[in-house]
Amino acid sequence: MALVCSDAELERRHRQRTWMGSQRERDSLIDLNRQFRARGDMTVIETDSQPPEAIADQILSIVMSTSQPPR
């Protein structure tokens, strides 16, 4: 599972976090985000326009639907 967002949103989030490092490091994270968005072998949750509570609900739903009951 990967939490991803658009390049523009990730840039915006990075600008808000002054501790994010150099532009080169931020570009590396944007590239990684693109790689996750392109993958077809995992669940990808877009976080651009959803509140954190909705994202948490999605994660919980996915985990609950894929987890095995204890034996």
Side-chain angles (χ1 to χ4, degrees):
M1 180 183 315
L3 303 178
V4 299
C5 60
S6 67
D7 291 353
E9 178 63 14
L10 192 53
E11 280 283 352
R12 185 192 70 75
R13 292 174 186 180
H14 286 167
R15 282 192 304 272
Q16 288 183 332
R17 300 174 185 141
T18 57
W19 51 266
M20 283 302 296
S22 69
Q23 185 62 46
R24 186 175 185 181
E25 291 169 318
R26 291 190 298 271
D27 289 344
S28 176
L29 291 173
I30 290 171
D31 184 53
L32 180 62
N33 185 61
R34 287 177 185 158
Q35 290 176 38
F36 280 128
R37 286 191 349 240
R39 289 185 62 167
D41 63 336
M42 65 186 324
T43 301
V44 175
I45 298 174
E46 293 281 345
T47 64
D48 284 37
S49 61
Q50 298 186 71
E53 297 81 9
I55 295 166
D57 287 344
Q58 282 185 14
I59 294 168
L60 180 60
S61 176
I62 291 166
V63 169
M64 295 302 289
S65 70
T66 60
S67 63
Q68 298 292 321
R71 293 182 183 206

